[in-house]
Amino acid sequence: MSGSRIGVYGLGVMGRNLALNLEEHGNSVSVYNRKAKGEEKIVEDFLGSEGMDKNFTGAKSVSAFVKSLELPRKILIMVKAGEPVDSVINELLPHLDEGDILIDGGNSHYGDTGRRIKSLRFKKISFVGMGVSGGEEGARYGPSLMPGGTKKAWKQLKPIFEPIAAKSFDDEPCCRFMGSDGAGHFVKMVHNGIEYADMQLIAEAYHIMKSGLAMSEEEISDRFRLWNEGPLESYLFEITAEILRVNDEDGEPLINKILDSAGQKGTGKWTAISSLDLGIPSPGITEAVYARFLSSMIEIRRSLSTQTESPSDSGDIDRDELLQSLAESLMASRIISHAEGFYLITEASGMNRWSIDPAAVAKNWQGGCIIRSELLRTIVSAYEQGSAITHLLQSPLVANRYRKLQSGWRQCIGFAVDRGIPVPVMMASVAHYDALNSGRLPANLIQAQRDYFGAHTYERNDRPRGEFFHTDWKNPEGE
């Protein structure tokens, strides 16, 4: 049976741009959109505009859509995560045959992806959970793609998706098989968690420059542009510099008229929740999520800001010196948030037997995605030179970097604290770093407290691991 090479179900912003990208790279593409109220003419409108005179086949029904595809069918589902994905799968199932492949390109939870893979396996239909990063521009001209599922299914999809992906620093496609089960969506989830931390750190730097150094938006923009030309180079620094130069109709910086309440779609929160569920610390990422929650508490914040006296200015400071310290704090904190994310990935991979290669993940994020940056070049080298490292901070490459960042990192945070400027991710990052570098932590006291009030027992550092003891703390001789 001849037909389109691939089908795209869902013509929202991401779906239509991926469809255009796929067609532009030599694929015949069938398109379909659900018939919800207000969406009846989406396919028709698409074929009459961006899709005009191109190799698209529009379908008016699910049956016609599935029949228009060559065997084995490959269908990219681009709908909202959660129940809508299950609804689309159930809608497609009666029309599918053994060997067909469904690809979920939305921001689905990795647990849902694992469930769907298992469910469809019994029907001999392959399911691939593929993280897609890069926003609408990336989808159109080159996203970062993070597929997971079965290697057999990916072997059939690779020739279709590799050509449409962005390129890494070594000119390889940012489209690598992440691992089995829900690995692809897990990696994308962690990507978004790191994205939350990166964005919050940039916001903290902006706050320090604006409130602590009284810099104008134009001056702050210039500083981000300067940083973007060096080791801090990243897509988020680039767009921040551009944002700060946009003026409203009255000539005033538009940024100052945007309500200071940050929204979210939930993937950063999923990262924090997964971190807690798996017992893997990611305080920087989690604080970035909390910072968004806190920003929404506008009425409480404004009320307290008029009742509470702000810390007094603690004296003059050399602006150039502080800006250098701020750059060092940004770099040190960004390394920590990336290290949190990669540790979460590698530990979850081991627990679930996903076999995720952290160096491959770092390469995959070097192009197309929102967190693409120069830092990922160092991370790739760290994992390739020390494949046995458990945590990114164990790499000599990273350790050497921290020796040069310590003073500025702490000076910058101290400056912010003295002036009452909240820097939650910077502070969480330095605390995480200090804890990881502590040969001994005060958790022994916590264990003693737990044993005192709940007889939870404890281990001793002068006895082998695995031996547990209990003390009658009111009568210690009765141990």
Side-chain angles (χ1 to χ4, degrees), residues 107-126:
N107 272 331
S108 289
H109 191 278
Y110 73 96
D112 288 339
T113 300
R115 169 178 57 80
R116 291 164 185 148
I117 288 172
K118 291 174 184 174
S119 173
L120 290 168
R121 186 180 298 144
F122 292 108
K123 304 179 188 297
K124 297 186 178 178
I125 292 170
S126 295

Side-chain angles (χ1 to χ4, degrees), residues 444-445 447-458 469-479:
N444 52 328
L445 179 56
Q447 283 301 93
Q449 291 169 333
R450 293 179 72 239
D451 190 55
Y452 187 107
F453 63 69
H456 292 295
T457 73
Y458 55 86
F469 302 86
H470 169 63
T471 294
D472 180 352
W473 293 93
K474 293 182 179 179
N475 178 28
E477 281 73 22
E479 181 177 347

Side-chain angles (χ1 to χ4, degrees), residues 336 406 409-410 428-439 441:
I336 288 289
Q406 288 288 320
W409 192 14
R410 298 173 193 278
S429 298
V430 77
H432 192 182
Y433 176 84
D434 288 342
L436 285 172
N437 281 276
S438 296
L441 289 169

